[in-house]
Amino acid sequence: MFSRNRHFLITDIVLLALAVYWSYVLRLETFNPSSRWWPGMWVLLVLIVCVTPMAFRWAGIYSRFWRYASVEELLLLTLTWSAVVSGVAIAGFVLDLVTPMDLAIPRSIPMILLLLGLVATAGPRLLLRILLRHKMRRAVQREKIRAVAVMGAGDAGAMIARELQQNPQLGMRAVAFFDDDPAKHNMVICGVRVLGGRTGIPAAVAELGIAEVIIAMPTAPGKEIREVVRLCQNAGVHARILPGVFELLDGKVTVNQLRNVQIEDLLRRAVVETDTAAVRRLLAGKRVLITGGGGSIGLELARQAGACAPAALFLLGHGENSIFEAVQELTARRISPTPVGIVADIRFPDRLRQVFAEVRPEIVFHAAAHKHVPLMELYPAEAVANNVIGTRNLLEAAVSVGVEHFVMISTDKAVNPTNIMGVSKRVAELLVHQTAQRTGLPYVAVRFGNVLGSRGSVLHTFRRQIAAGGPVTITHPDMKRYFMTIPEAVQLVLQASVLGRGGEVFVLDMGEPVRILDLATDLIRLSGLEIGRDIDLAITEPRPGEKLFEELFVEGEDYHRTEHRQIFIAANASSFVPRDLDRVIDALQRAAEANNRVAMTELFRRLVPEYEPLTPVAASGQEPAPDHAVMVEEPALPSARAQ
């Protein structure tokens, strides 16, 4: 086969010998140089023919697959050939000085040979690529190949177009680029013209027979993605998309990463400019432990933390199946070092202390929590045991072994809470701030809104309802929530571990809240269905503990933007820690053990005065336990807020 490099070896020897001869022909302007020049010509020819193959092999030129050659290969070839000509020319001049023979070599010969030799070596390789590409195009014309357009003429779009050209078996051929940058209009990229901005998609679909639009804009916000998807839907053409930049952690773009447009893409925001180098410096060589490691947030934390070369990575959780699956996935991704799964429950302090004494973590990310609002309204004792007491147990274990950094994942439902889940997470925040006060260590909390795709997310509910044929249920037409993707949330958590000095709350600027009704509508349309014709949309009523909108900051928190423009910090969060927090938490634990909802509600309100439960205290249908079963120290507690 012509493409094999032994054939290039032969062509190099033959064509370079001719290049030496033609260098003299051009220099002397004659096809028959006089006998004076023949000795030098033969010495130069022998040196070139002997040295070049060895130099090319040493540089790896003969190990390249020239069918897929790029600028990198051309540069390598040019530099190696330039070095060969320079070395041979110097050797020829030295030989002329030390030998009695007249080996005169005109000074201009090496320059002429440099150009001719480059053509002689690069020409066959370039010709091979041209012939193979022509053959590929002929094959494409014979087969039924779909014409596709690429929205986004940047690096990602160019890589997609190039891969489609090199792999006709994919069954797609790029026929047009679209980009909103006017400077790129009418430019040709990878042999494909940029026809204009996104508004030109409908006309091009009809004119060029485009069957699919590939959205290659990994850094574009959701507003732009929504507009492109709307144009594609109106034009009746299918759209697929490259994942966002948070999902492309390795920076590599391939056709295999293309997927259908998802609701997460429509809600994508501008990229948060986090300092990934600082995160890597913090985690590299450290022992990292993640609670809730089998959950969606914990698993993504492990993926991204594992890319920062930690000394050890531990995933702790009470669900053996989720921990097993998480470790299996990370192992398949070849995360190094291999993650270690730990089955343990944060509600049991003795077990936690044993684990921490064994693994000696230096950085802890606390993602374990009960987070389902309606369920926690029904079982508040579980929220106390896991979210509050579990966090306290974890903090005590962390302090006992000298954990250097501790980052707790909180929620926007902790701000002016109206439900048990939210208020329990707010109390957990207070525990983190208290520990930061006592130790002076960078123990911080990260607060964000709903995480798309996480377990229990509203998206899972909507998708199940759509798969079942509907109806898709909305609790209130005006209900709004802040949303972020799992990779975005984890980026914030990792950045907080770098920025935290102790006792702060970090919040992502999540833009404008999204109506749940709009979310459901977009998801139905992305599923190829029409409301009222294919599936119904039903309005029910708010569930226990739900409010129409969420907030991000507690009244009185002094918040401002960090050096990362989309990350806020509330630096005075520790000022909200009650002086008697420990005693109230002890009472709250006893109330939970007695399953006394009345006492738990009262204690929560003492710790978090702004807590206004939407669920009646008697909603559980239980008879409150006697007060003495809970309040064994004092009949009344002072105000929870520090004076």
Side-chain angles (χ1 to χ4, degrees):
M1 182 180 176
F2 180 73
S3 62
R4 292 182 181 178
N5 280 294
R6 65 171 177 266
H7 295 98
F8 282 129
L9 173 62
I10 296 172
T11 58
D12 286 342
I13 292 174
V14 173
L15 293 180
L16 286 176
L18 291 174
V20 172
Y21 168 72
W22 275 98
S23 299
Y24 277 85
V25 169
L26 294 174
R27 168 63 179 82
L28 302 175
E29 298 181 353
T30 177
F31 288 102
N32 187 22
S34 65
S35 58
R36 176 192 173 192
W37 305 108
W38 282 102
M41 182 191 302
W42 280 107
V43 168
L44 189 61
L45 187 149
V46 171
L47 288 174
I48 287 292
V49 169
C50 293
V51 172
T52 302
M54 293 187 292
F56 278 15
R57 179 166 182 170
W58 176 82
I61 290 175
Y62 288 128
S63 63
R64 300 285 173 140
F65 196 24
W66 291 94
R67 175 177 178 174
Y68 302 120
S70 63
V71 175
E72 179 185 349
E73 281 75 21
L74 181 59
L75 182 61
L76 176 65
L77 183 65
T78 302
L79 292 176
T80 306
W81 171 241
S82 300
V84 168
V85 172
S86 300
V88 167
I90 293 172
F93 290 131
V94 170
L95 286 174
D96 185 37
L97 293 176
V98 300
T99 61
M101 295 180 59
D102 182 10
L103 300 178
I105 300 175
R107 287 191 295 269
S108 58
I109 288 293
M111 292 301 300
I112 299 173
L113 180 59
L114 177 65
L115 298 177
L116 292 180
L118 186 59
V119 173
T121 53
R125 292 166 169 84
L126 179 61
L127 179 62
L128 171 67
R129 180 168 179 175
I130 293 173
L131 291 174
L132 289 174
R133 178 168 291 188
H134 178 70
K135 181 180 179 181
M136 187 184 303
R137 287 177 177 173
R138 293 284 299 273
V140 166
Q141 292 172 357
R142 291 194 301 266
E143 299 176 10
K144 292 183 179 180
I145 302 295
R146 287 178 296 143
V148 302
V150 181
M151 179 64 211
D155 291 340
M159 294 174 77
I160 288 295
R162 190 178 299 115
E163 187 167 355
L164 293 181
Q165 291 171 347
Q166 295 175 350
N167 297 280
Q169 68 274 11
L170 295 173
M172 295 182 287
R173 177 169 60 95
V175 299
F177 271 112
F178 295 95
D179 198 286
D180 292 330
D181 182 0
K184 296 179 181 177
H185 293 176
N186 293 317
M187 299 290 288
V188 176
I189 301 174
C190 299
V192 181
R193 187 172 298 277
V194 182
L195 299 184
R198 71 184 72 168
T199 55
I201 290 177
V205 167
E207 181 179 349
L208 301 176
I210 294 172
E212 182 174 308
V213 174
I214 296 174
I215 304 174
M217 302 188 297
T219 62
K223 182 179 180 181
E224 295 184 18
I225 303 298
R226 286 195 298 272
E227 176 64 16
V228 174
V229 171
R230 184 186 63 80
L231 288 168
C232 293
Q233 290 174 340
N234 292 342
V237 64
H238 181 63
R240 286 200 290 171
I241 192 170
L242 275 177
V245 68
F246 286 110
E247 299 176 68
L248 297 173
L249 294 176
D250 57 3
K252 296 179 181 178
V253 174
T254 67
V255 172
N256 291 335
Q257 293 167 318
L258 289 176
R259 54 170 170 74
N260 290 333
V261 179
Q262 300 174 357
I263 195 68
E264 291 89 343
D265 301 307
L266 305 188
L267 298 177
R268 188 196 300 169
R269 288 178 305 282
V271 176
V272 179
E273 298 293 338
T274 53
D275 190 349
T276 54
V279 172
R280 174 174 283 274
R281 287 194 300 270
L282 176 70
L283 299 184
K286 296 296 180 68
R287 301 173 67 81
V288 179
L289 184 143
I290 301 169
T291 72
S296 49
I297 295 292
L299 180 55
E300 181 64 21
L301 268 169
R303 293 189 192 107
Q304 296 193 26
C308 296
L313 184 61
F314 304 100
L315 275 62
L316 184 147
H318 71 275
E320 61 174 19
N321 290 328
S322 61
I323 290 294
F324 174 79
E325 291 169 1
V327 171
Q328 290 291 101
E329 178 189 324
L330 294 171
T331 302
R333 286 173 174 260
R334 298 184 179 178
I335 295 292
S336 181
T338 302
V340 176
I342 301 173
V343 178
D345 197 318
I346 63 173
R347 295 178 300 175
F348 303 122
D350 292 340
R351 171 66 176 142
L352 269 186
R353 283 194 293 270
Q354 178 190 37
V355 169
F356 273 59
E358 289 177 357
V359 305
R360 313 292 295 187
E362 297 167 278
I363 299 175
V364 172
F365 295 102
H366 178 27
H370 283 329
K371 62 181 183 180
H372 294 281
V373 170
L375 280 177
M376 292 305 99
E377 291 301 295
L378 293 174
Y379 306 105
E382 292 299 319
V384 172
N386 201 61
N387 296 354
V388 179
I389 306 305
T391 299
R392 183 173 69 172
N393 295 339
L394 196 62
L395 287 165
E396 290 174 351
V399 172
S400 70
V401 297
V403 168
E404 300 169 5
H405 293 265
F406 185 102
V407 182
M408 174 202 144
I409 296 176
S410 188
T411 170
D412 56 359
K413 294 175 177 60
V415 179
N416 298 324
T418 59
N419 52 64
I420 291 293
M421 195 282 280
V423 72
S424 67
K425 294 294 283 183
R426 176 65 181 143
V427 173
E429 287 183 8
L430 296 176
L431 286 166
V432 173
H433 302 330
Q434 180 195 59
T435 306
Q437 284 180 332
R438 290 175 174 175
T439 64
L441 293 170
Y443 285 28
V444 301
V446 181
R447 193 184 290 162
F448 44 72
N450 290 33
V451 179
L452 288 169
S454 63
R455 292 183 179 177
S457 168
V458 65
L459 283 185
H460 292 306
T461 301
F462 287 163
R463 284 169 175 152
R464 283 196 301 270
Q465 292 174 338
I466 291 172
V472 176
T473 57
I474 308 296
T475 57
H476 194 285
D478 296 324
M479 185 167 289
K480 295 181 178 181
R481 290 291 183 268
Y482 292 101
F483 285 99
M484 64 191 311
T485 65
I486 294 174
E488 282 179 311
V490 169
Q491 281 285 303
L492 174 61
V493 173
L494 293 175
Q495 196 61 56
S497 66
V498 174
L499 296 176
R501 295 296 177 265
E504 304 97 336
V505 170
F506 292 91
V507 182
L508 180 68
D509 181 357
M510 290 179 285
E512 295 298 319
V514 178
R515 283 205 314 165
I516 304 298
L517 178 60
D518 294 337
L519 186 71
T521 301
D522 285 337
L523 189 59
I524 290 171
R525 288 174 178 169
L526 286 177
S527 302
L529 304 175
E530 183 177 329
I531 297 173
R533 185 191 69 183
D534 305 308
I535 196 167
D536 292 327
L537 192 68
I539 306 297
T540 57
E541 60 182 11
R543 297 176 298 177
E546 279 190 331
K547 55 183 179 180
L548 293 183
F549 61 92
E550 301 290 358
E551 301 158 275
L552 299 178
F553 294 98
V554 174
E555 183 179 356
E557 284 184 336
D558 179 20
Y559 63 91
H560 58 273
R561 292 185 186 271
T562 65
E563 58 266 34
H564 303 285
R565 60 185 180 86
Q566 288 180 285
I567 300 179
F568 290 96
I569 180 174
N572 67 330
S574 295
S575 65
F576 291 82
V577 177
R579 295 174 180 174
D580 52 359
L581 178 62
D582 290 330
R583 185 163 56 85
V584 180
I585 294 294
D586 289 338
L588 186 61
Q589 182 175 11
R590 291 191 295 273
E593 291 170 351
N595 198 26
N596 188 334
R597 186 185 187 102
V598 173
M600 284 185 283
T601 301
E602 176 59 26
L603 291 165
F604 273 136
R605 296 183 76 170
R606 290 181 181 275
L607 289 172
V608 186
E610 62 270 23
Y611 170 46
E612 292 292 339
L614 295 179
T615 303
V617 172
S620 62
Q622 68 174 3
E623 289 294 332
D627 285 346
H628 64 79
V630 179
M631 304 298 295
V632 297
E633 296 184 9
E634 297 183 26
L637 294 172
S639 174
R641 193 179 299 278
Q643 301 298 317

